[in-house]
Amino acid sequence: ARRFPRVNVIHGDAARLSSLLPGPNPHVQCVVSSLPLLSLPAPLVARIIEQIELLLARRGTLIQFTYRIGKGASPLAATFEPVRSQTILF
């Protein structure tokens, strides 16, 4: 927030994201997350994904940094269409 003062950085519970934003029907253009979705309980992950889907503008962007080794579907795959994915070792 100090480095980019024009960016509205919000700190809070991702499962309650809509309650952190002002207005009756807020939308955001971008969500950047490095939440450990693969290690959180499935019901919590579902609530977080629901909040992101609710708040992300129609052509908005979700950037999710995930630390995962191996194959398997991302919990985001059922809701969001991946545009780009990259594996970086070390």
Side-chain angles (χ1 to χ4, degrees):
R2 279 179 262 157
R3 186 171 178 195
F4 301 100
R6 292 179 42 198
V7 174
N8 185 11
V9 177
I10 298 170
H11 296 270
D13 184 348
R16 298 182 26 193
L17 188 56
S18 60
S19 69
L20 300 173
L21 299 176
N25 191 15
H27 284 89
V28 297
Q29 294 301 315
C30 183
V31 173
V32 179
S33 167
S34 61
L35 292 171
L37 297 178
L38 301 173
S39 64
L40 297 175
L44 177 59
V45 172
R47 286 194 305 271
I48 292 169
I49 291 172
E50 180 181 273
Q51 288 290 294
I52 293 171
E53 185 179 24
L54 176 70
L55 295 173
L56 198 58
R58 183 173 174 265
R59 312 255 304 133
T61 302
L62 167 63
I63 299 170
Q64 172 65 43
F65 296 97
T66 300
Y67 304 96
R68 171 177 62 166
I69 297 175
K71 298 187 186 244
S74 163
L76 298 168
T79 307
F80 298 98
E81 179 183 335
V83 175
R84 181 171 164 238
S85 178
Q86 184 176 4
T87 300
I88 300 172
L89 299 176
F90 306 105

